[in-house]
Amino acid sequence: MDIENIKNKNIEFLKSPKLSSYNFLALNTILILVLVFLIYKLKVFGISLFAASIAITFLLVYLFKNPKLGIIISLIASFFVTGLARYIPAPWGLSIDFILVLTYVAMFFKNYYERSIWKKSRSFVTILISFWMFYIFIQLLNPEAISRLAWFYSMRGLALYQWLSIPLIFMLFNTPKDLDRFFLLWGTLSILGSLKGLMQLYIGVDPFEQRWLDGGGAQTHILFGQLRIFSFYSDAGQFGASQALSFVVFGILTMYVKGNKLKKYFYAIVALLGLYGMFISGTRGAISVPGMGGLLLMVLHKNKTTLIIGSIIALASYIFFAHTFIGQGNYQIRRMRTAFDGNDPSLQVRLSNQRKLVGYLASRPFGGGVGATGNWGKRFTPNTFLANTATDSWYVTIWADTGIVGLVYYSIMILSILFVGMYNVMFKLKNSNFRSKIMAITCGMAGILVASYGNGVFSQMPTAIIMYISIAFIVNALKIEKEYLHK
């Protein structure tokens, strides 16, 4: 009893206004002293650092009050973390890890006595991605793996981000309003990306971007004297695929979502800028996003008129690119046209590299180790066969890093998610507007999965976070419709 009384008195003391005033005074004194020290020692940089610290502090306070903010911050950050390194060299990609982990911590404290919210993360997808994460983790024991640091950096895009993100989205971002917020944020950020790309095209790159080009970026981004636009994304490949995804998803929203005209205008602007952004990126593989997305739309919509019109557009597009020279004087059209050329030199190089990998991986069913290929392989194991053999494709990367075992499991995992979305759209969802929204992100996901054969876009920011949010809504669609929407 005495212990209980002491405990209650301690709680009362901690909550007392007197202590709060002391805390407030002490905190302000510390902040003023820190500010004075930073200004004295670091001048303008010190002021900037202090201001950033204050902003981060307020952000943390709001995050712990509303953990949903963590998903929103992750989405916004995913658009800028890779491009930011051109201006301020730092491992900005780790900020996504930090935000996601911090969101879990905020979730834990906010819902300490409400454990039911954790049940919302239960799904077959959570099980599938957990098994995938476990497989990637035990890759540390792969006898072919050479660098543990390469594993750490590579496994984040390969498995960690989706393992952290998707259960969080199930729990925190799971209402029709959240889906609309997702479209609003994504669309706004996509417009910013398009506008930045237009600035590079018509005004030119800034000094920091020029330094990046001079440091090696020009090898892949200036072809025949023409700049491949990359905006504030990691590269032109990611910019082109992301813009193509925006074109598909927001184009479908424009056509099929009824209601607010202002929203439809917004969707249409995002779609048109996305289409233009795809072309100016010079990313040939990006054209497969609207190709596959449009094909799936014809299937999911189950409408003869849509099927006929879509087939005519698809056939006309194929003939235009593959069998005519119309617009050949335009670099963007000329660049896209090479995607339909089976004798294209870069395609032949990719096929040659894949033939080499077939022989190398034949005796390595678990691959050469996570991080053995691509940039991480070149950085940490530069003298190995896998590091010096370009994979280009996302699936070839998975195959080379994790073997045929990993590739088969990953393919089953990702295709099962896509098929669930297709089935729900075709046969289960009844609310027309909500169905159209799920149909849009399902078609977008299908397009990105096809485009990832040519480039590793699925695992790169911001497409990765967009895909994880899309997956959560695709899988959770029936539950959301049942809980929030009337037929």
Side-chain angles (χ1 to χ4, degrees), residues 64 67 99-111 118:
F64 274 76
I99 293 166
L100 293 174
V101 172
L102 196 62
T103 304
Y104 272 101
V105 175
M107 278 274 296
F108 176 79
F109 283 106
K110 184 174 176 61
N111 300 283
W118 300 97

Side-chain angles (χ1 to χ4, degrees), residues 437-455:
K437 293 171 184 178
I438 300 301
M439 180 170 65
I441 56 178
T442 302
C443 291
M445 179 183 172
I448 288 295
L449 288 178
V450 173
S452 293
Y453 175 75
N455 295 285

Side-chain angles (χ1 to χ4, degrees), residues 361-391:
L361 294 170
S363 59
R364 296 170 174 85
F366 302 106
V370 171
T373 58
N375 291 331
W376 303 124
K378 291 176 182 177
R379 178 176 172 182
F380 295 107
T381 56
N383 299 316
T384 60
F385 171 79
L386 289 179
N388 290 286
T389 304
T391 54

